[in-house]
Amino acid sequence: MRMVLGFIAAVIVIAVLGATSNALVNQGEMAAVGGQFSLGDRIGWIVHDITTFGPMLGVIMGVGLLIAFIVAGFVAQLAPGLRSIVYLVAGAATVPVALYALGVAFPGGITPIASTRFMDGTIGLMIAGALAGLTYALIKRPA
């Protein structure tokens, strides 16, 4: 039961934090070319990304997290003292692997996740993935 709850929580974490990161990077890029947004506009944009982009991001990254956590489970058995770090790294690694898979699925240079055209967007998603991995490790922790 802890494994399932941990996985659901991890997917929620990566979806909410990843969508937030996506919104903030996109806002920054728009501001760099002269866009001006009030605080209310910025918050509304973040909420909109969480509610519309977040579920799709959760599905995409959820598939990646599932695979990453299975592999991390085997690695964690080899280094039980580093269990939380193993899952944190697995969560972070999910992002570039999923982005690569999306690049294969959408050939021709299309980037389905706009913020990942920039390094800060990719890093933001990787941080969300790392926190998702840590969330999973903490909830799944053996009793």
Side-chain angles (χ1 to χ4, degrees):
M1 185 64 161
R2 285 177 166 219
M3 186 181 310
V4 172
L5 290 176
F7 181 73
I8 291 168
V11 171
I12 291 169
V13 165
I14 199 167
V16 170
L17 295 181
T20 301
S21 171
N22 185 67
L24 292 172
V25 169
N26 289 338
Q27 288 174 19
E29 293 301 318
M30 294 293 289
V33 294
Q36 297 180 2
F37 312 102
S38 68
L39 180 59
D41 290 338
R42 290 177 182 272
I43 292 170
W45 189 336
I46 292 167
V47 170
H48 181 267
D49 267 19
I50 290 171
T51 58
T52 59
F53 176 61
M56 181 195 66
L57 183 64
V59 169
I60 292 168
M61 294 299 166
V63 171
L65 287 174
L66 180 63
I67 297 166
F69 291 165
I70 290 169
V71 173
F74 290 113
V75 174
Q77 289 178 349
L78 300 174
L82 300 174
R83 193 178 153 285
S84 293
I85 294 172
V86 168
Y87 282 104
L88 183 141
V89 170
T94 294
V95 173
V97 172
L99 293 174
Y100 176 78
L102 287 172
V104 171
F106 296 96
I110 296 172
T111 308
I113 301 174
S115 65
T116 61
R117 292 183 190 121
F118 311 100
M119 186 57 72
D120 54 349
T122 302
I123 290 170
L125 280 178
M126 289 179 71
I127 291 169
L131 292 173
L134 184 59
T135 299
Y136 179 76
L138 293 175
I139 293 174
K140 185 185 175 283
R141 176 168 286 155

